[in-house]
Short mmCIF file of all heavy atoms in Angstrom, two decimals:
data_model
loop_
_atom_site.label_atom_id
_atom_site.label_comp_id
_atom_site.label_asym_id
_atom_site.label_seq_id
_atom_site.Cartn_x
_atom_site.Cartn_y
_atom_site.Cartn_z
N VAL A 1 -27.52 206.60 8.83
CA VAL A 1 -28.39 206.77 10.00
C VAL A 1 -29.78 206.23 9.72
O VAL A 1 -30.37 205.50 10.54
CB VAL A 1 -28.46 208.26 10.40
CG1 VAL A 1 -29.59 208.50 11.42
CG2 VAL A 1 -27.13 208.73 10.96
N ASN A 2 -30.34 206.56 8.57
CA ASN A 2 -31.69 206.12 8.26
C ASN A 2 -31.77 204.63 7.97
O ASN A 2 -32.77 203.98 8.27
CB ASN A 2 -32.23 206.93 7.07
CG ASN A 2 -32.55 208.36 7.46
OD1 ASN A 2 -33.50 208.64 8.15
ND2 ASN A 2 -31.69 209.29 7.02
N TYR A 3 -30.71 204.09 7.40
CA TYR A 3 -30.69 202.64 7.16
C TYR A 3 -30.71 201.88 8.48
O TYR A 3 -31.52 200.96 8.67
CB TYR A 3 -29.45 202.26 6.35
CG TYR A 3 -29.31 200.77 6.14
CD1 TYR A 3 -30.09 200.11 5.20
CD2 TYR A 3 -28.39 200.03 6.88
CE1 TYR A 3 -29.96 198.74 5.01
CE2 TYR A 3 -28.26 198.67 6.70
CZ TYR A 3 -29.05 198.03 5.76
OH TYR A 3 -28.93 196.67 5.57
N LEU A 4 -29.85 202.26 9.42
CA LEU A 4 -29.79 201.59 10.72
C LEU A 4 -31.08 201.82 11.51
O LEU A 4 -31.61 200.88 12.12
CB LEU A 4 -28.58 202.09 11.51
CG LEU A 4 -27.21 201.76 10.91
CD1 LEU A 4 -26.10 202.41 11.73
CD2 LEU A 4 -26.99 200.24 10.85
N SER A 5 -31.59 203.04 11.49
CA SER A 5 -32.83 203.33 12.20
C SER A 5 -33.98 202.50 11.64
O SER A 5 -34.80 201.95 12.39
CB SER A 5 -33.17 204.82 12.12
OG SER A 5 -32.18 205.61 12.73
N GLY A 6 -34.05 202.42 10.32
CA GLY A 6 -35.11 201.64 9.69
C GLY A 6 -35.04 200.17 10.05
O GLY A 6 -36.08 199.53 10.30
N ARG A 7 -33.84 199.62 10.12
CA ARG A 7 -33.71 198.19 10.48
C ARG A 7 -34.15 197.95 11.91
O ARG A 7 -34.79 196.95 12.22
CB ARG A 7 -32.26 197.74 10.27
CG ARG A 7 -31.78 197.73 8.82
CD ARG A 7 -32.67 196.88 7.93
NE ARG A 7 -32.70 195.48 8.33
CZ ARG A 7 -31.88 194.53 7.86
NH1 ARG A 7 -30.96 194.87 6.96
NH2 ARG A 7 -31.99 193.29 8.27
N PHE A 8 -33.81 198.88 12.83
CA PHE A 8 -34.24 198.73 14.22
C PHE A 8 -35.75 198.94 14.35
O PHE A 8 -36.42 198.26 15.14
CB PHE A 8 -33.50 199.72 15.12
CG PHE A 8 -32.11 199.27 15.50
CD1 PHE A 8 -30.99 199.92 15.00
CD2 PHE A 8 -31.93 198.20 16.36
CE1 PHE A 8 -29.71 199.50 15.34
CE2 PHE A 8 -30.65 197.78 16.71
CZ PHE A 8 -29.54 198.43 16.21
N ILE A 9 -36.29 199.90 13.58
CA ILE A 9 -37.74 200.13 13.62
C ILE A 9 -38.49 198.89 13.15
O ILE A 9 -39.59 198.59 13.65
CB ILE A 9 -38.10 201.35 12.74
CG1 ILE A 9 -37.59 202.64 13.38
CG2 ILE A 9 -39.61 201.45 12.53
CD1 ILE A 9 -37.71 203.85 12.49
N ASP A 10 -37.92 198.15 12.24
CA ASP A 10 -38.56 196.96 11.69
C ASP A 10 -38.58 195.79 12.68
O ASP A 10 -39.23 194.78 12.42
CB ASP A 10 -37.84 196.53 10.41
CG ASP A 10 -38.64 195.49 9.63
OD1 ASP A 10 -39.84 195.71 9.42
OD2 ASP A 10 -38.06 194.46 9.24
N SER A 11 -37.88 195.94 13.80
CA SER A 11 -37.87 194.86 14.80
C SER A 11 -39.24 194.74 15.45
O SER A 11 -40.06 195.65 15.39
CB SER A 11 -36.81 195.14 15.87
OG SER A 11 -37.15 196.29 16.61
N LYS A 12 -39.50 193.64 16.10
CA LYS A 12 -40.83 193.36 16.65
C LYS A 12 -41.03 193.94 18.04
O LYS A 12 -42.12 193.93 18.57
CB LYS A 12 -41.07 191.86 16.70
CG LYS A 12 -41.05 191.22 15.32
CD LYS A 12 -41.45 189.78 15.40
CE LYS A 12 -41.26 189.11 14.11
NZ LYS A 12 -41.82 189.00 13.06
N GLU A 13 -39.98 194.42 18.70
CA GLU A 13 -40.11 194.98 20.04
C GLU A 13 -40.65 196.40 19.95
O GLU A 13 -40.01 197.29 19.39
CB GLU A 13 -38.75 194.99 20.75
CG GLU A 13 -38.15 193.60 20.95
CD GLU A 13 -36.81 193.67 21.65
OE1 GLU A 13 -36.46 194.76 22.12
OE2 GLU A 13 -36.13 192.63 21.69
N SER A 14 -41.82 196.62 20.51
CA SER A 14 -42.49 197.91 20.35
C SER A 14 -41.69 199.05 20.97
O SER A 14 -41.58 200.14 20.39
CB SER A 14 -43.88 197.86 20.99
OG SER A 14 -43.78 197.51 22.35
N SER A 15 -41.09 198.86 22.15
CA SER A 15 -40.33 199.93 22.78
C SER A 15 -39.09 200.28 21.97
O SER A 15 -38.75 201.44 21.79
CB SER A 15 -39.92 199.51 24.20
OG SER A 15 -39.13 198.33 24.17
N GLY A 16 -38.42 199.27 21.46
CA GLY A 16 -37.23 199.51 20.65
C GLY A 16 -37.55 200.20 19.35
O GLY A 16 -36.78 201.05 18.87
N ARG A 17 -38.70 199.91 18.76
CA ARG A 17 -39.11 200.54 17.51
C ARG A 17 -39.29 202.04 17.70
O ARG A 17 -38.83 202.83 16.88
CB ARG A 17 -40.41 199.93 17.00
CG ARG A 17 -40.31 198.47 16.57
CD ARG A 17 -41.64 197.94 16.06
NE ARG A 17 -41.96 198.54 14.79
CZ ARG A 17 -43.00 199.33 14.55
NH1 ARG A 17 -43.81 199.65 15.54
NH2 ARG A 17 -43.22 199.82 13.35
N LYS A 18 -39.97 202.41 18.77
CA LYS A 18 -40.23 203.82 19.00
C LYS A 18 -38.95 204.58 19.30
O LYS A 18 -38.75 205.70 18.82
CB LYS A 18 -41.22 203.98 20.16
CG LYS A 18 -41.79 205.37 20.28
CD LYS A 18 -42.97 205.39 21.24
CE LYS A 18 -43.64 206.76 21.22
NZ LYS A 18 -44.82 206.79 22.10
N THR A 19 -38.06 203.96 20.06
CA THR A 19 -36.77 204.60 20.36
C THR A 19 -35.96 204.82 19.11
O THR A 19 -35.37 205.89 18.90
CB THR A 19 -35.97 203.74 21.36
OG1 THR A 19 -36.74 203.56 22.55
CG2 THR A 19 -34.65 204.39 21.69
N ALA A 20 -35.93 203.81 18.24
CA ALA A 20 -35.19 203.93 16.97
C ALA A 20 -35.78 205.03 16.10
O ALA A 20 -35.04 205.78 15.44
CB ALA A 20 -35.20 202.59 16.23
N LEU A 21 -37.12 205.14 16.08
CA LEU A 21 -37.76 206.19 15.30
C LEU A 21 -37.36 207.56 15.84
O LEU A 21 -36.99 208.45 15.06
CB LEU A 21 -39.28 206.02 15.35
CG LEU A 21 -40.09 207.16 14.72
CD1 LEU A 21 -39.85 207.22 13.22
CD2 LEU A 21 -41.58 207.01 15.03
N VAL A 22 -37.44 207.74 17.15
CA VAL A 22 -37.13 209.03 17.76
C VAL A 22 -35.67 209.41 17.48
O VAL A 22 -35.36 210.55 17.11
CB VAL A 22 -37.40 209.00 19.27
CG1 VAL A 22 -36.86 210.26 19.95
CG2 VAL A 22 -38.89 208.86 19.53
N ILE A 23 -34.75 208.46 17.65
CA ILE A 23 -33.33 208.74 17.41
C ILE A 23 -33.11 209.14 15.96
O ILE A 23 -32.41 210.12 15.65
CB ILE A 23 -32.47 207.52 17.78
CG1 ILE A 23 -32.49 207.31 19.30
CG2 ILE A 23 -31.03 207.71 17.30
CD1 ILE A 23 -31.81 206.03 19.74
N GLY A 24 -33.72 208.38 15.02
CA GLY A 24 -33.57 208.70 13.61
C GLY A 24 -34.11 210.08 13.27
O GLY A 24 -33.47 210.86 12.54
N LEU A 25 -35.30 210.40 13.79
CA LEU A 25 -35.90 211.71 13.51
C LEU A 25 -35.07 212.84 14.12
O LEU A 25 -34.88 213.89 13.47
CB LEU A 25 -37.33 211.76 14.07
CG LEU A 25 -38.36 210.86 13.38
CD1 LEU A 25 -39.71 210.99 14.06
CD2 LEU A 25 -38.48 211.19 11.90
N VAL A 26 -34.60 212.65 15.33
CA VAL A 26 -33.80 213.68 15.99
C VAL A 26 -32.53 213.97 15.20
O VAL A 26 -32.14 215.13 14.99
CB VAL A 26 -33.46 213.28 17.44
CG1 VAL A 26 -32.38 214.18 18.02
CG2 VAL A 26 -34.70 213.32 18.31
N ILE A 27 -31.86 212.93 14.73
CA ILE A 27 -30.61 213.13 13.97
C ILE A 27 -30.91 213.84 12.65
O ILE A 27 -30.19 214.77 12.24
CB ILE A 27 -29.90 211.78 13.72
CG1 ILE A 27 -29.41 211.20 15.06
CG2 ILE A 27 -28.73 211.96 12.77
CD1 ILE A 27 -28.79 209.82 14.95
N ASN A 28 -31.96 213.43 11.96
CA ASN A 28 -32.32 214.08 10.70
C ASN A 28 -32.65 215.55 10.90
O ASN A 28 -32.16 216.42 10.16
CB ASN A 28 -33.53 213.37 10.07
CG ASN A 28 -33.14 212.14 9.29
OD1 ASN A 28 -32.45 212.21 8.29
ND2 ASN A 28 -33.60 210.98 9.75
N ILE A 29 -33.48 215.85 11.90
CA ILE A 29 -33.86 217.24 12.16
C ILE A 29 -32.66 218.05 12.64
O ILE A 29 -32.51 219.23 12.29
CB ILE A 29 -35.00 217.28 13.19
CG1 ILE A 29 -36.26 216.64 12.59
CG2 ILE A 29 -35.29 218.71 13.63
CD1 ILE A 29 -37.39 216.44 13.56
N ALA A 30 -31.76 217.41 13.41
CA ALA A 30 -30.56 218.11 13.87
C ALA A 30 -29.65 218.47 12.70
O ALA A 30 -29.09 219.58 12.66
CB ALA A 30 -29.80 217.23 14.87
N ILE A 31 -29.50 217.56 11.76
CA ILE A 31 -28.69 217.85 10.57
C ILE A 31 -29.27 219.05 9.82
O ILE A 31 -28.55 219.99 9.44
CB ILE A 31 -28.63 216.61 9.65
CG1 ILE A 31 -27.80 215.50 10.29
CG2 ILE A 31 -28.03 216.98 8.29
CD1 ILE A 31 -27.85 214.19 9.53
N LEU A 32 -30.58 219.03 9.61
CA LEU A 32 -31.23 220.14 8.92
C LEU A 32 -31.10 221.43 9.72
O LEU A 32 -30.81 222.50 9.16
CB LEU A 32 -32.71 219.81 8.68
CG LEU A 32 -33.52 220.81 7.87
CD1 LEU A 32 -32.96 220.95 6.46
CD2 LEU A 32 -34.99 220.39 7.81
N GLY A 33 -31.29 221.34 11.04
CA GLY A 33 -31.22 222.53 11.89
C GLY A 33 -29.84 223.15 11.92
O GLY A 33 -29.70 224.37 11.84
N ILE A 34 -28.81 222.33 12.03
CA ILE A 34 -27.44 222.85 12.11
C ILE A 34 -27.04 223.53 10.82
O ILE A 34 -26.52 224.65 10.81
CB ILE A 34 -26.46 221.72 12.46
CG1 ILE A 34 -26.70 221.25 13.91
CG2 ILE A 34 -25.01 222.17 12.28
CD1 ILE A 34 -25.94 219.98 14.27
#
């Protein structure tokens, strides 16, 4: 999850970067929360 999120975050499209960051953070926090 973090590898794919990081690669998308590294893209030059600002909207896509933020979305990838949010998705990655949500999945990480969800794993910890569950």
Side-chain angles (χ1 to χ4, degrees):
V1 168
N2 288 288
Y3 176 76
L4 295 175
S5 298
R7 294 304 298 268
F8 280 110
I9 290 171
D10 192 49
S11 66
K12 298 187 188 280
E13 299 179 9
S14 58
S15 60
R17 293 181 71 244
K18 193 168 187 178
T19 302
L21 172 66
V22 170
I23 292 173
L25 292 178
V26 167
I27 293 175
N28 278 296
I29 294 171
I31 290 172
L32 185 62
I34 291 170

